[in-house]
């Protein structure tokens, strides 16, 4: 009997060193407030998603990443390697590693400013060979022209192309046409889809591919090949939501590459992202596969009432 080949995910995206200030709350524009702690963590949406994918288990994870030749690159590279991510590094001696300035309030919410640095140097031709890749996972912290070219290559090669459209920006139809699954939060959905209306109306937009909308503690809602799916959130005490969306995307991609159903993938991704909110930092907060298993076994999702509430929030009728 031959062992089934492990699924393979290629993440092409950003890496940043996160300079994180904890404060009672995120300041309003023009306001100065006093914080009480400043720390650095490995971050960047692409690198966070690669770590989440590798920790989700049952897949091989590889990442195309650009890093400067500077000390900021070291903790990022170490974090990716210790999670088991194989790296294709584009080294940029003249350009600094990406940086993010993150303020986290005591309610767990955050505000983030990214300085792209090396991430802006990634080009179409940097994408590694796609042979054997099941899923290509992309975000929008690298140049849009490169993202579109990578998505097109993935599409032509028959790879499942997953795009997390974060940070939010409007997307050309030529990009949406070569994406299999779009993952967005509510604000990103409003940017990508110009039509007004509730979430149910927006995810039914004929210009969109299959789409998952993450809705924070409420859970998520998806339209996958015309089938609408709802996954209520898992109950946790959130201390830092940084990287929760990335944990969701990386876990989702791992599950899909491993051949799991979309329902299971959404459930695992929701549990993993809830757990990520209970710890500080981005990559440091990503749970292991066994922690997600334990969360799922505990049945700590919000049950049938949360499902009804989620449906109502999205403008969907379940009955
Ligand atoms: O999604 C969270 C990430 O956004 C942070 O790690 C930061 O680096 C920015 O890319």
């Amino acid at each position: 009997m031959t062992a089934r080949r492990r699924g393979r995910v290629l993440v092409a995206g950003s890496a940043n060193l996160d300079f994180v200030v904890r404060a009672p709350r995120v300041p309003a524009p023009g306001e100065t407030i006093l914080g009480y702690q400043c720390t650095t963590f490995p971050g960047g949406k692409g690198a966070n998603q690669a770590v989440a994918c590798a920790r989700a288990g049952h897949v091989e994870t590889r990442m195309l990443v650009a890093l400067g030749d500077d000390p900021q690159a070291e903790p990022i590279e170490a974090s990716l390697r210790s999670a088991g991510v194989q790296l294709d590094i584009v080294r940029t001696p003249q350009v600094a590693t990406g940086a993010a300035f993150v303020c986290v309030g005591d309610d767990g919410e955050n505000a983030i400013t990214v300085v792209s640095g090396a991430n802006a140097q990634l080009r179409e031709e940097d994408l590694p060979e796609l042979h054997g890749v099941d899923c290509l996972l992309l975000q929008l912290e690298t140049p849009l022209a490169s993202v579109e070219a990578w998505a097109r290559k993935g599409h032509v090669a028959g790879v499942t192309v997953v795009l997390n459209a974060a940070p939010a920006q409007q997307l050309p139809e030529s990009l949406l046409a070569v994406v299999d699954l779009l993952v967005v939060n509510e604000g990103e959905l409003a940017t990508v889809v110009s039509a007004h209306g509730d979430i149910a109306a927006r995810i039914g937009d004929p210009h969109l591919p299959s789409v998952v909308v993450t809705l924070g503690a409420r859970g998520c809602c998806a339209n996958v090949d015309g089938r609408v799916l709802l996954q209520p959130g898992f109950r946790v005490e959130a201390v830092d939501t940084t990287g929760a969306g990335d944990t969701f995307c990386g876990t989702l991609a791992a599950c899909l590459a491993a051949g799991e159903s979309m329902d299971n993938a959404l459930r695992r991704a929701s549990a993993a992202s809830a757990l990520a909110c209970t710890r500080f930092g981005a990559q440091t907060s990503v749970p292991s596969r066994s922690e997600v298993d334990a969360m799922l076994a505990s049945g700590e999702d919000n049950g049938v009432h949360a499902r009804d509430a989620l449906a109502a929030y999205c403008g969907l009728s379940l009955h």
Side-chain angles (χ1 to χ4, degrees):
M1 197 172 85
T2 52
R4 190 188 171 279
R5 179 179 78 71
R6 290 211 304 164
R8 286 192 192 132
V9 178
L10 174 63
V11 181
S14 60
N16 301 321
L17 190 63
D18 291 354
F19 294 82
V20 180
V21 169
R22 289 179 62 197
R25 60 187 169 76
V26 172
E31 187 185 21
T32 301
I33 62 168
L34 297 180
Y36 55 85
Q37 189 184 60
C38 186
T39 328
T40 57
F41 291 102
K45 296 187 191 301
N48 299 343
Q49 292 179 20
V51 166
C53 191
R55 290 213 184 123
H58 295 187
V59 288
E60 289 171 24
T61 308
R62 191 169 166 187
M63 181 179 184
L64 167 66
V65 62
L67 296 171
D69 194 4
D70 50 29
Q72 292 89 297
E74 287 164 19
I76 300 170
E77 199 177 327
S79 171
L80 285 161
R81 288 197 197 282
S82 78
V85 179
Q86 296 164 43
L87 297 179
D88 289 275
I89 301 177
V90 173
R91 197 65 72 176
T92 62
Q94 313 298 332
V95 184
T97 296
F101 299 88
V102 183
C103 181
V104 179
D106 286 344
D107 59 358
E109 292 303 328
N110 62 47
I112 304 179
T113 307
V114 172
V115 180
S116 297
N119 299 311
Q121 304 295 308
L122 283 177
R123 297 285 171 266
E124 171 176 358
E125 56 274 19
D126 295 322
L127 193 74
E129 170 61 38
L130 290 174
H131 181 73
V133 173
D134 299 287
C135 178
L136 175 62
L137 177 57
L138 308 170
Q139 318 75 33
L140 297 177
E141 284 186 334
T142 47
L144 189 61
S146 304
V147 172
E148 182 167 344
W150 299 334
R152 177 158 294 104
K153 283 185 178 176
H155 177 72
V156 168
V159 171
T160 300
V161 178
V162 179
L163 172 65
N164 172 220
Q169 63 174 287
Q170 290 187 338
L171 300 177
E173 286 199 15
S174 51
L175 172 56
L176 291 172
V178 289
V179 166
D180 294 293
L181 180 65
L182 188 68
V183 184
V184 285
N185 66 22
E186 208 173 341
E188 290 150 5
L189 179 69
T191 304
V192 172
V193 179
S194 48
H196 292 288
D198 52 25
I199 291 170
R202 287 185 164 154
I203 63 175
D205 184 308
H207 298 103
L208 288 187
S210 291
V211 57
V212 177
V213 187
T214 58
L215 298 163
R218 287 190 169 88
C220 65
C221 166
N223 182 351
V224 178
D225 298 328
R227 194 165 70 101
V228 174
L229 305 167
L230 289 170
Q231 173 59 57
F234 287 75
R235 258 189 298 251
V236 290
E237 288 287 317
V239 297
D240 181 3
T241 56
T242 311
D246 299 328
T247 301
F248 184 96
C249 293
T251 308
L252 186 73
C255 292
L256 296 178
E260 294 195 32
S261 68
M262 183 60 80
D263 302 71
N264 278 349
L266 291 177
R267 192 162 157 72
R268 285 200 82 85
S270 298
S273 65
L275 284 167
C277 295
T278 64
R279 299 165 194 158
F280 290 104
Q283 287 158 44
T284 47
S285 71
V286 176
S288 66
R289 183 173 183 90
S290 58
E291 288 174 309
V292 174
D293 286 341
M295 175 77 145
L296 292 173
S298 75
E300 275 298 301
D301 65 12
N302 288 322
V304 72
H305 297 303
R307 201 179 159 73
D308 286 347
L310 178 59
Y313 184 78
C314 296
L316 289 160
S317 158
L318 288 181
H319 309 290

